[in-house]
């Protein structure tokens, strides 16, 4: 019994040491290996849009609809301006993979086939313009978990507001 208590004490000490070292190094969890959220905050959010009925519509250089409005609101929440790129879903996925876009919206749902190429947010219903039958997802760079976490927290707030 005494040995178990000593092991637990050593494990707790080791965890505290790791936490202290990572905090001192400025490491945050979740993390963005490529610094997406840090780059976007107070800067520019590079967003892609693929036209999709009433949810995402494009008229010349203007991108509108409920999903682009959410992207604009998310950008405002991190003091960023949105720079839009309009293209097909596959072209947007490729642009995210190549580091040219930070996120994409369009007709992507929780059944999207792009799961092995980009990060996918959880499926959201209750967002403006999104019906309960087709939970919408947004696409982001793989591994940028801090950025995706910030985006999902924002979307959770908007979905709960109705």
């Amino acid at each position: 019994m005494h040995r178990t208590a000593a092991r637990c004490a050593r494990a707790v000490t080791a965890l505290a040491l790791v936490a202290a070292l990572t905090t001192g190094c400025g490491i945050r969890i979740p993390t963005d290996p490529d610094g997406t959220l840090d780059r976007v905050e107070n800067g520019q959010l590079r967003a892609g849009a693929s036209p999709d009925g009433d949810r995402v519509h494009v008229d010349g250089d203007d991108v509108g609809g409920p999903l682009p409005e959410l992207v604009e609101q998310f950008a405002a929440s991190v003091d960023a301006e949105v720079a839009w790129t309009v293209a097909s879903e596959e072209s947007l996925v490729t642009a995210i993979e190549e580091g040219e876009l930070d996120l994409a919206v369009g007709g992507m749902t929780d059944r999207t086939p792009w799961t092995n190429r980009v990060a996918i947010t959880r499926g959201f219903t209750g967002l403006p313009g999104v019906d309960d039958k087709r939970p919408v997802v947004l696409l982001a760079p793989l591994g940028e978990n801090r950025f995706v976490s910030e985006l999902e927290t924002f979307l959770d707030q908007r979905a709960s507001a109705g």
Side-chain angles (χ1 to χ4, degrees):
M1 195 65 140
H2 182 57
R3 295 177 91 191
T4 303
R7 285 186 191 155
C8 286
R10 281 194 300 260
V12 169
T13 301
L15 286 173
L17 181 61
V18 168
L21 289 174
T22 57
T23 301
C25 295
I27 296 173
R28 297 182 203 169
I29 297 174
T31 187
D32 285 351
D34 293 330
T36 299
L37 186 57
D38 287 339
R39 184 181 44 71
V40 168
E41 287 178 323
N42 302 309
Q44 186 180 65
L45 175 69
R46 303 167 303 170
S50 177
D52 181 51
D54 291 336
R55 296 194 299 180
V56 178
H57 48 85
V58 176
D59 183 15
D61 291 337
D62 293 327
V63 177
L67 295 180
E69 288 175 18
L70 282 170
V71 171
E72 297 275 352
Q73 293 168 3
F74 172 67
S77 76
V78 295
D79 294 322
E81 299 286 327
V82 178
W84 288 103
T85 297
V86 177
S88 69
E89 272 188 40
E90 185 168 358
S91 294
L92 296 176
V93 167
T94 300
I96 291 171
E97 286 178 309
E98 294 175 353
E100 297 169 4
L101 291 177
D102 302 312
L103 67 81
V105 295
M108 295 75 101
T109 68
D110 59 352
R111 296 181 189 162
T112 184
W114 307 115
T115 57
N116 63 340
R117 295 179 57 188
V118 294
I120 311 293
T121 64
R122 287 181 279 112
F124 286 89
T125 59
L127 295 171
V130 175
D131 64 46
D132 292 340
K133 296 175 186 167
R134 291 180 53 202
V136 69
V137 297
L138 278 65
L139 311 181
L142 276 175
E144 297 303 285
N145 297 330
R146 189 166 154 248
F147 176 74
V148 172
S149 177
E150 183 82 13
L151 178 60
E152 287 185 333
T153 298
F154 173 83
L155 294 172
D156 281 335
Q157 293 168 349
R158 290 301 185 260
S160 66

